[in-house]
Amino acid sequence: MVATCGAMAVVMADTIAATLILPVLGDSPLAEGAAAGDLQWMMSAFAVPYAALLASCGRLADALGRRRMLLAGLMLFTAGAAVALAAPVLSVLLGARALQGVGAAAMIPASLSLLLARITPHRRTLAIGIWSAAAGLGGVLMHGGGGWLAAQLGWHALLAPSMIIGVMLILVTLAVPDAPASGRLPDLVSSLLLLAGGAALILAISKGQAWGWRTPATIGTATTAGALLLLTVWRSERHRVPAIDLQLWRRPAFALAGMISLLYGMLSFGLLATAPLLLHQTWSMGLAAVGVALAPISGGVLVTSLAAGPLLRRHGARSVIYTGVLITSAGALWLLAHGLTSQPNLPVWAMASAAIGCGLGAISTGASAAAALSAGATHYASAVGASMTARQVGGALGVAGSVVLLQRPFLSGVLPGHASVIVVLIALSCLIGLLALLIAAPTPPPAPAATRLTVEASATAPGPAPARHREPSGASSREPAAGSAIPAQQRLPLMTMYATAAALVAATDFLLAQSGPASPGTTATSASAAATSHSGAA
């Protein structure tokens, strides 16, 4: 648990640290003479290899061993952090961030798949909740203290925790026994095609705004990405061990979970890209204050992910994701109605962002469970890697789309750009809720064979019941709930959720009606109308 959940936490903390580094790095001697676009590569240098390698690293983890891949990823990630701390020039820093992205891509699929392989099936949904909550923990710690560290000690203080914690996790991982591996390496040619195509796709999306969406650089990069990805699929159809597990994507349950992961990436990354701009640029909050103000989002993810584990086992991913959609939409609507003012409204921001974080935690945990548990025990890492790749592609789309909306809003009034972003995020949340309704409901796992034998023996022979057999660690059986035809008394009825949605719409109509266009500190009438329309769609 320490090794696998610690890997997830340190990657999330490091990602948030990179966003906090940018304002401080611009004033350091390291960035002297560098353009603003060069500094943005601090994020892209990590994101491009991370997103491009997730699927391939998942396949490698299933083939070579999950502990080996986790250990290799931790070593690369920690080495990258050490190089970044000692970087003499900006180019070395960006190269170190790219190395960290490669390490993170190896760590994330291997961490969850190793955890799932080492525990009994009926505890796997709980483990997914704890693993997802680790991301919230890393976010809370970095949001709460990262801004202060950067303000007091400089940008180096934000990368030091990644190196220190990485060394500690390496030592812990060395003591972890490995899970069984298939030993069949995926096709090298299609793996390289997938890497190049994925990197080109993420690069085109993330840099399209800076390069211009209609420039030859963007169009050429996107066209190259499409051609390489098509070649990858073509070769994967014809190879015994392809880089892309097409059989996995042909499963309706996994394809649905992958689509939800894509939309979740657009939703969450779009929010996390624009929220710091609202706090820092519009409300003129300092770096340390921005970090503290963003902490409720990570805190909500932490709390809800922990609670989602038991709920997944009982109600399945469908109910957990749908409930998360309702909570996210409620928080976003509250922020739209009362939080988007020209001056900071911190109480409203704190409550709304905490609600959004709680909803995101439920959606993330439910999507991860639906993806991982739809695959067999020998394909856990492949499923996690493919699902996380979809999330990263969605994240790149979400960030790019949010930047466009900030510059070209379709609403008017107070803060039209941020209001437009929130309306689109509510629409994405509603679409996730609709897709969640298509997830199959969970089937309770059968009683262990040893337990059934015990009952039969006690019915036919006197004397004490035999000792209960304990299932070996990592044993494979039917997966518990990723989704239902569970007994009626255990089902979360859809009618209850529809009634909740109706109450949410009624409350939203009331709140938006109280904020007319002539009142100071409220959103424009067009924003209210658009928000009401999207809430009705929910």
Side-chain angles (χ1 to χ4, degrees):
M1 291 292 291
V2 172
T4 57
C5 295
M8 184 64 174
V10 75
V11 169
M12 177 55 68
D14 185 84
T15 303
I16 294 173
T19 64
L20 299 175
I21 282 175
L22 291 179
V24 184
L25 186 63
D27 298 330
S28 68
L30 192 69
E32 185 176 353
D38 296 334
L39 296 181
Q40 291 296 329
W41 277 100
M42 184 74 182
M43 300 292 298
S44 301
F46 179 94
V48 170
Y50 177 54
L53 285 170
L54 274 167
S56 298
C57 287
R59 296 282 283 162
L60 286 174
D62 285 330
L64 299 178
R66 291 136 185 178
R67 188 190 74 103
R68 292 178 183 176
M69 189 60 65
L70 175 59
L71 188 59
L74 281 169
M75 289 179 175
L76 290 174
F77 182 84
T78 306
V83 173
L85 282 172
V89 293
L90 183 60
S91 59
V92 175
L93 175 61
L94 297 180
R97 290 294 297 165
L99 183 61
Q100 284 190 283
V102 175
M107 290 160 55
I108 296 302
S111 62
L112 181 57
S113 60
L114 178 61
L115 179 61
L116 295 178
R118 297 301 305 175
I119 59 177
T120 52
H122 70 283
R123 293 183 177 180
R124 284 174 184 157
T125 52
L126 179 61
I128 292 173
I130 297 174
W131 182 81
S132 300
L137 177 61
V140 167
L141 294 177
M142 186 53 69
H143 274 146
W148 180 86
L149 284 174
Q152 299 296 322
L153 304 176
W155 64 269
H156 292 85
L158 292 171
L159 294 178
S162 297
M163 185 188 70
I164 297 171
I165 296 174
V167 171
M168 297 171 63
L169 291 176
I170 290 173
L171 297 177
V172 174
T173 306
L174 288 172
V176 176
D178 206 349
S182 67
R184 300 174 64 186
L185 291 175
D187 176 30
L188 177 61
V189 174
S190 56
S191 297
L192 293 176
L193 289 173
L194 177 60
L195 169 61
L201 177 63
I202 298 298
L203 185 62
I205 296 172
S206 59
K207 289 298 179 182
Q209 182 65 26
W211 293 346
W213 294 107
R214 298 180 181 179
T215 60
T218 303
I219 295 175
T221 305
T223 303
T224 302
L228 291 173
L229 292 175
L230 286 175
L231 282 174
T232 305
V233 174
W234 177 82
R235 185 172 176 87
S236 296
E237 284 277 11
R238 291 158 176 77
H239 201 277
R240 292 181 57 191
V241 190
I244 299 178
D245 191 349
L246 297 178
Q247 294 299 323
L248 190 63
W249 282 101
R250 290 190 178 104
R251 298 181 184 180
F254 180 81
L256 186 58
M259 179 59 67
I260 291 175
S261 294
L262 177 76
L263 294 173
Y264 172 78
M266 297 175 66
L267 170 64
S268 59
F269 281 64
L271 172 69
L272 295 176
T274 55
L277 299 178
L278 172 65
L279 298 171
H280 184 62
Q281 295 182 0
T282 304
W283 289 350
S284 301
M285 296 175 61
L287 188 59
V290 168
V292 174
L294 292 174
I297 299 178
S298 298
V301 172
L302 171 62
V303 172
T304 313
S305 298
L306 288 174
L311 293 176
L312 280 169
R313 184 181 175 190
R314 183 175 181 182
H315 299 295
R318 178 174 66 186
S319 298
V320 170
I321 295 174
Y322 197 94
T323 304
V325 165
L326 292 179
I327 299 173
T328 301
S329 300
L333 287 168
W334 180 263
L335 182 62
L336 183 65
H338 293 287
L340 291 185
T341 58
S342 57
Q343 298 299 321
N345 193 341
L346 295 182
V348 172
W349 167 262
M351 291 186 292
S353 61
I356 292 172
C358 289
L360 292 179
I363 298 172
S364 174
T365 306
S368 297
L373 299 183
S374 64
T378 58
H379 294 84
Y380 280 144
S382 299
V384 175
S387 174
M388 294 298 293
T389 297
R391 183 176 299 189
Q392 292 299 312
V393 172
L397 290 170
V399 172
S402 296
V403 172
V404 172
L405 287 173
L406 287 178
Q407 297 177 351
R408 302 175 184 176
F410 56 84
L411 299 177
S412 59
V414 179
L415 304 183
H418 289 282
S420 300
V421 169
I422 292 177
V423 168
V424 172
L425 295 183
I426 292 172
L428 290 172
S429 180
C430 294
L431 184 55
I432 292 173
L434 291 175
L435 292 178
L437 297 178
L438 303 178
I439 297 177
T443 301
T451 303
R452 292 197 298 268
L453 292 174
T454 300
V455 174
E456 294 170 0
S458 62
T460 57
R468 186 173 181 176
H469 174 68
R470 184 176 182 180
E471 185 180 7
S473 176
S476 119
S477 70
R478 293 181 60 185
E479 298 292 354
S484 187
I486 59 176
Q489 65 271 18
Q490 296 182 4
R491 188 183 304 133
L492 184 61
L494 288 179
M495 292 305 297
T496 301
M497 293 189 284
Y498 283 129
T500 304
L504 174 63
V505 171
T508 303
D509 288 340
F510 173 77
L511 291 173
L512 295 178
Q514 304 304 310
S515 54
S519 302
T522 60
T523 57
T525 304
S526 58
S528 300
T532 305
S533 172
H534 284 297
S535 66

